[in-house]
Amino acid sequence: SVIWGDQNDPRVFDFFLEKGIQSYFLSIIEQPKCGTYVCTQLLQTLNILFENIRNETSIYFLLSNNHVNSIICHEFDFSDEEIMAYYISFLKTLSLKLNSNTIHFFYNEHLRDFPLYTEAIKFFNHNESMVRIAVRTLTLNVYKVGDEAIIKFIHDKTAAPYF
């Protein structure tokens, strides 16, 4: 219904934002006893949400509160193949939304922190080819934006171990 609201009736999407559903999602995954099934469902839901949101203003609202970066940095149980698959798919989907306006929601120039990229490249040498391909796709999507500060960050902080 949120996706329908984004595409047909902004009041539905506004309700989603007003109720702080993203912060609710974050509070759920941060619970000590959040099970694999719940984490998987939340990652799948977020992936579907970001994959289907078309309105650029809606994307800005979803990214503006930094909950997405907190979810990216969450310590999921990556030994679970399903969580790994949904997590890396979520990161790749987010990277497909990168442009000169949205990249700044992920990169904090003052802190020199770029979780979308730095968390993804931790898996550049993963044994599963789908994960490696997603990391490469994400990397290319970051480079495609062409932001000088981002390129400098990549070269200064992460290029040696990754490339």
Side-chain angles (χ1 to χ4, degrees):
S1 65
V2 174
I3 295 164
W4 180 88
D6 171 66
Q7 297 171 0
N8 297 291
D9 185 353
R11 293 176 298 174
V12 175
F13 188 78
D14 291 345
F15 180 80
F16 174 83
L17 293 174
E18 286 172 17
K19 295 300 178 187
I21 302 300
Q22 279 187 293
S23 64
Y24 183 68
F25 286 171
L26 185 58
S27 70
I28 290 172
I29 65 168
E30 289 178 339
Q31 292 178 11
K33 294 187 180 192
C34 179
T36 300
Y37 178 77
V38 173
C39 286
T40 302
Q41 288 302 306
L42 282 171
L43 287 169
Q44 181 182 29
T45 300
L46 288 167
N47 193 34
I48 291 168
L49 178 64
F50 278 96
E51 217 169 56
N52 291 289
I53 292 293
R54 302 284 177 249
N55 184 324
E56 196 155 324
T57 304
S58 298
I59 293 170
Y60 295 161
F61 278 121
L62 287 172
L63 297 174
S64 66
N65 55 24
N66 211 36
H67 293 310
V68 171
N69 283 330
S70 297
I71 292 169
I72 291 169
C73 293
H74 180 74
E75 293 182 18
F76 291 99
D77 177 10
F78 294 120
S79 65
D80 184 291
E81 290 178 11
E82 201 170 8
I83 286 180
M84 183 72 225
Y86 281 116
Y87 177 79
I88 206 70
S89 181
F90 176 55
L91 297 185
K92 185 178 88 171
T93 297
L94 290 172
S95 79
L96 293 169
K97 300 294 182 182
L98 290 175
N99 61 41
S100 60
N101 297 317
T102 60
I103 198 150
H104 301 288
F105 291 111
F106 298 101
Y107 177 64
N108 184 325
E109 198 166 347
H110 299 292
L111 295 176
R112 306 239 337 129
D113 185 29
F114 188 17
L116 178 62
Y117 181 75
T118 56
E119 293 301 312
I121 63 167
K122 290 177 181 178
F123 303 106
F124 81 94
N125 203 20
H126 194 271
N127 61 344
E128 177 64 45
S129 64
M130 179 208 74
V131 174
R132 292 191 310 271
I133 291 166
V135 171
R136 291 175 188 146
T137 301
L138 185 146
T139 301
L140 291 172
N141 288 334
V142 169
Y143 271 102
K144 183 174 72 177
V145 175
D147 185 282
E148 288 183 30
I150 301 287
I151 303 302
K152 182 169 175 26
F153 171 83
I154 291 169
H155 287 236
D156 292 350
K157 297 287 185 182
T158 64
Y162 182 33
F163 298 105

